[in-house]
Amino acid sequence: MSITAPRGFRAAGVVAGLKDSGSRDLALVVNDGPSRAAAGVFTRNRVKAAPVLWSEQVLKGGRVHAVVLNSGGANACTGAPGFQDTHATAERVAEVLGDSAGEVAVCSTGLIGERLPMDALLPGIGKAAAELSRGDGGLAAADAIRTTDTVGKISFRHGAGGYMIGAMAKGAGMLAPSLATMLCVITTDADLPAAALDRALRSATALTLDRLDADGCMSTNDTVLLMASAAAGVVPDEDEFTALLTDVCADLTRQLLVDAEGASKAIAIEVVGAAADADAVAVGRSIARNNLLKCAIHGEDPNWGRVLSAVGTTDAVFDPDQLNVAINGVWVCRNGSSGDDRDKVDLRPRDVTITVDLSAGPHSATVWTTDLTADYVHENSAYST
Amino acid sequence: MSITAPRGFRAAGVVAGLKDSGSRDLALVVNDGPSRAAAGVFTRNRVKAAPVLWSEQVLKGGRVHAVVLNSGGANACTGAPGFQDTHATAERVAEVLGDSAGEVAVCSTGLIGERLPMDALLPGIGKAAAELSRGDGGLAAADAIRTTDTVGKISFRHGAGGYMIGAMAKGAGMLAPSLATMLCVITTDADLPAAALDRALRSATALTLDRLDADGCMSTNDTVLLMASAAAGVVPDEDEFTALLTDVCADLTRQLLVDAEGASKAIAIEVVGAAADADAVAVGRSIARNNLLKCAIHGEDPNWGRVLSAVGTTDAVFDPDQLNVAINGVWVCRNGSSGDDRDKVDLRPRDVTITVDLSAGPHSATVWTTDLTADYVHENSAYST
């Protein structure tokens, strides 16, 4: 299921030999149409990997026939030769599909700064093409894009009138605004033009994947693609489609959050009473990136002072003497100083909710993050060695 | 020595009983004149501790007779009662000195959100006043302001014509722009008016203490005070004084850096080839706050890709294909992709230098940070419990 739940899509996940582990490392997703309408959102990092530079150009045409994704190497910071590798990858996919490379998107994930082993990757494309299927292909593809993800992430939903949305994602570290080291492919058999898909995707990701900020680090490779086959013959209401897509993206966000590298807590930061949505998001992000607070939550210490310290670094509208903070429902800070008994806060569950009331207006936003743990340090100290 | 190296200053550090450990926790520094000219820089956090709000007002007058500093509690996020505690503290100092509270600065450091035990603090002031001295007082004061600092930080320098600058500082975590949880008192027996002291202090801290960014967290209590007694009867050249003050602040910065909580590496990030100083600082800070890079350095992994990822999140002027990165002198990244052999990088020493050449202009800046370690997580998970 997952990306092959909607009609018109086939997928495969194979071992091309990019990973030393011998695990699956190459995925191919093909849209058999009749439509090839597509949209994409990409990292805002100015240092963009070769596949991002390539796929941004492809998506400008609003059509994607296939996307090829590899783990085992990000193909970022590899210069002109790296871009040629991406180009060659797209050409090989086009060749096996009997099409032009101009509608082939490419995604890569893994270590930055190293060339991909093209002598393994290119033959892997033929192998993947031979295994394309609607059955197991979707799950194999989700498995093939994993790096440090402990599980594959998939989701699907049924829409009104008989269409579906399916999705797969990877991303377990470097989750930050502008999408995190995240590769995500979303498919639908609904019939919508590229412009509508683009609006829906930007709206959905802005509220979900873009508000997941595990460690504040922005990746060079983040890509979220949405492909529509129109095979269900259903033209959905755009608002209803956007809501369903947002639901799928929220589901993926949750899966990415709970599988973030080395985390022991999944933290939702709900900012309410903001003068503007942007204020709420800025405050949420500032809290999400505060290492001291993230350590405190790891230690199950309801240290609301560190929340206020983080709020104070933003430009949001607030009066320090009117800030309120609840941790797991206990209002430990009222009017900028000590509130209810902090000993009432139970921080033993994995899920933690920090609510900040700015007392400045009607707007709100939720940002998700994780705690900071010794496991995170360990995993990221040893990644490339 | 330290703050009592310059003539005209007496100091004391005593056990008032604020800390459970029974260590020194209250310091008093008195300027016996003839001048009381003073300047201060404070945290830019909008959530400011009561002593910061108080001392900002005192410094507006450009004169400080005495400063009282306590560890064992930040008196931040304590509302109007906390401000009254600060006021009462200043009044008690004024009383023992036979002066007005309007020229008494107050600094506090420790846990946020709790009231200070005034029944211990106020008697401690009398005790400190009784122990004021030029001899051991300076060292005792530097000892009394420690929190998680493993050692007291002091510095002094001789200026041309016979004046001196002395200093003490504390701050081992939460070191970030706008000064970090840092309390710093600098004294001089030179004769300069408050306006000149203010210019010199802003210039010196902007290049030193303000560029130390251990964990990206901005404190509610940061304060750097500069007090001039004029007791040496020397009117120094302002530029020469600023240079000497910068040297003292650089020395303190270095001491704070090597004693940062849980760190195993002291990292200097030198950004060169920038189109503007602000670009160089922004890039340096972005790198200093990149948790993934800080973990890599901890693991002695010269992961230059994470450096480029951090550069890419800034608005600085650069072309991704013209970025160069050296780690401990080895140019592992040239023109945005792999450069010299990364195996040549020796990351075993505690001191690490990361040089980033933006190839965009003649400006440069250095920002200092630490690695991210399991010890940091441990120390900050258990701080308030």
Side-chain angles (χ1 to χ4, degrees), chain A residues 44-48 76-80 111-114 173-174 215-220 261 289-296 298-306 308-321 323 335-338 342 372-374 376-385, chain B residues 44-48 76-80 111-114 173-174 215-220 261 289-296 298-306 308-321 323 335-338 342 372-374 376-385:
Chain A
R44 271 172 262 171
N45 199 312
R46 292 170 58 202
V47 175
K48 295 181 202 297
C77 307
T78 46
L111 190 62
I112 297 174
E114 295 187 0
M174 230 185 190
D215 62 11
C217 298
M218 192 192 293
S219 158
T220 49
E261 282 173 359
R289 293 175 176 188
N290 190 283
N291 279 354
L292 289 170
L293 175 67
K294 289 155 78 89
C295 287
H298 177 56
E300 303 187 348
D301 167 14
N303 195 324
W304 58 267
R306 292 179 179 174
L308 259 59
S309 288
V311 175
T313 64
T314 71
D315 294 327
V317 175
F318 69 87
D319 175 340
D321 293 329
L323 294 173
N335 298 318
S337 50
S338 190
R342 47 170 279 151
L372 182 56
T373 71
Y376 173 90
V377 173
H378 179 73
E379 187 156 353
N380 288 298
S381 298
Y383 182 60
S384 78
T385 50
Chain B
R44 272 171 262 172
N45 199 312
R46 292 170 58 202
V47 175
K48 294 181 202 298
C77 306
T78 46
L111 191 61
I112 297 175
E114 295 187 0
M174 228 185 192
D215 62 11
C217 298
M218 193 190 293
S219 156
T220 51
E261 282 173 0
R289 292 176 178 188
N290 189 283
N291 279 354
L292 289 171
L293 175 67
K294 289 155 75 89
C295 286
H298 177 56
E300 303 186 349
D301 167 15
N303 195 323
W304 58 268
R306 292 178 180 175
L308 260 58
S309 289
V311 175
T313 65
T314 70
D315 293 326
V317 176
F318 69 87
D319 174 341
D321 292 330
L323 295 172
N335 298 318
S337 49
S338 190
R342 46 170 280 150
L372 182 56
T373 70
Y376 174 91
V377 173
H378 179 75
E379 188 155 353
N380 288 297
S381 298
Y383 182 60
S384 80
T385 51

Side-chain angles (χ1 to χ4, degrees), chain A residues 13-362:
Chain A
V14 300
V15 179
L18 309 175
K19 285 178 177 166
D20 291 337
S21 64
S23 305
R24 287 191 183 106
D25 47 22
L26 189 85
L28 184 61
V29 183
V30 176
N31 179 358
D32 290 320
S35 172
R36 290 183 182 177
V41 293
F42 299 92
T43 181
R44 271 172 262 171
N45 199 312
R46 292 170 58 202
V47 175
K48 295 181 202 297
V52 170
L53 295 169
W54 172 269
S55 297
E56 282 182 333
Q57 294 306 314
V58 170
L59 267 296
K60 282 185 180 167
R63 288 165 57 91
V64 170
H65 183 188
V67 53
V68 57
L69 310 94
N70 74 274
S71 53
N75 196 9
C77 307
T78 46
F83 190 80
Q84 288 166 9
D85 290 342
T86 290
H87 188 177
T89 301
E91 290 287 359
R92 179 62 63 93
V93 172
E95 185 184 320
V96 300
L97 297 177
D99 196 9
S100 124
E103 295 185 4
V104 176
V106 181
C107 300
S108 299
T109 181
L111 190 62
I112 297 174
E114 295 187 0
R115 296 280 299 279
L116 290 170
M118 297 301 288
D119 54 346
L121 196 154
L122 294 178
I125 290 169
K127 191 173 169 187
E131 295 191 16
L132 286 167
S133 75
R134 280 206 65 195
D136 297 334
L139 293 177
D143 182 56
I145 62 175
R146 292 195 295 140
T147 51
T148 56
D149 305 65
T150 63
V151 294
K153 284 91 178 175
I154 62 169
S155 185
F156 61 91
R157 294 286 188 279
H158 291 274
Y163 78 93
M164 288 189 75
I165 298 177
M168 68 176 185
K170 68 78 48 180
M174 230 185 190
L175 298 168
S178 317
L179 306 178
T181 286
M182 171 190 307
L183 300 183
C184 180
V185 175
I186 308 171
T187 57
T188 182
D189 48 16
D191 184 5
L192 282 168
L197 296 176
D198 186 71
R199 284 191 297 270
L201 185 62
R202 287 180 193 284
S203 170
T205 55
L207 294 173
T208 55
L209 295 165
D210 206 27
R211 290 189 181 174
L212 175 59
D213 196 334
D215 62 11
C217 298
M218 192 192 293
S219 158
T220 49
N221 287 61
D222 299 329
T223 302
V224 180
L225 297 178
L226 172 59
M227 303 157 72
S229 70
V234 177
V235 179
D237 173 74
E238 192 175 323
D239 288 343
E240 184 266 323
F241 179 82
T242 301
L244 194 69
L245 182 65
T246 303
D247 192 25
V248 168
C249 289
D251 184 16
L252 294 175
T253 301
R254 172 74 193 166
Q255 292 180 52
L256 291 165
L257 175 64
V258 299
D259 197 28
E261 282 173 359
S264 72
K265 303 288 186 190
I267 307 171
I269 301 160
E270 301 176 343
V271 182
V272 302
D277 281 357
D279 276 11
V281 173
V283 167
R285 283 205 195 288
S286 177
I287 296 168
R289 293 175 176 188
N290 190 283
N291 279 354
L292 289 170
L293 175 67
K294 289 155 78 89
C295 287
I297 298 299
H298 177 56
E300 303 187 348
D301 167 14
N303 195 324
W304 58 267
R306 292 179 179 174
V307 177
L308 259 59
S309 288
V311 175
T313 64
T314 71
D315 294 327
V317 175
F318 69 87
D319 175 340
D321 293 329
Q322 292 185 22
L323 294 173
N324 303 301
V325 177
I327 300 179
N328 281 355
V330 179
W331 289 92
V332 286
C333 170
R334 291 180 188 272
N335 298 318
S337 50
S338 190
D340 297 351
D341 184 0
R342 47 170 279 151
D343 291 341
K344 290 183 182 162
V345 179
D346 182 2
L347 277 170
R348 289 170 299 177
R350 184 181 179 97
D351 282 309
V352 174
T353 301
I354 298 174
T355 310
V356 178
D357 182 356
L358 297 177
S359 305

Side-chain angles (χ1 to χ4, degrees), chain B residues 23-103:
Chain B
S23 304
R24 289 191 182 105
D25 47 22
L26 189 86
L28 184 61
V29 184
V30 176
N31 179 358
D32 291 319
S35 172
R36 290 183 182 176
V41 292
F42 300 92
T43 182
R44 272 171 262 172
N45 199 312
R46 292 170 58 202
V47 175
K48 294 181 202 298
V52 170
L53 294 170
W54 172 269
S55 297
E56 281 182 334
Q57 293 306 314
V58 169
L59 267 296
K60 282 186 181 166
R63 287 166 57 91
V64 170
H65 184 191
V67 53
V68 56
L69 311 93
N70 73 274
S71 53
N75 196 10
C77 306
T78 46
F83 190 80
Q84 289 166 8
D85 290 342
T86 291
H87 188 175
T89 302
E91 289 288 359
R92 180 62 63 92
V93 172
E95 186 183 320
V96 300
L97 297 178
D99 195 9
S100 124
E103 296 185 3

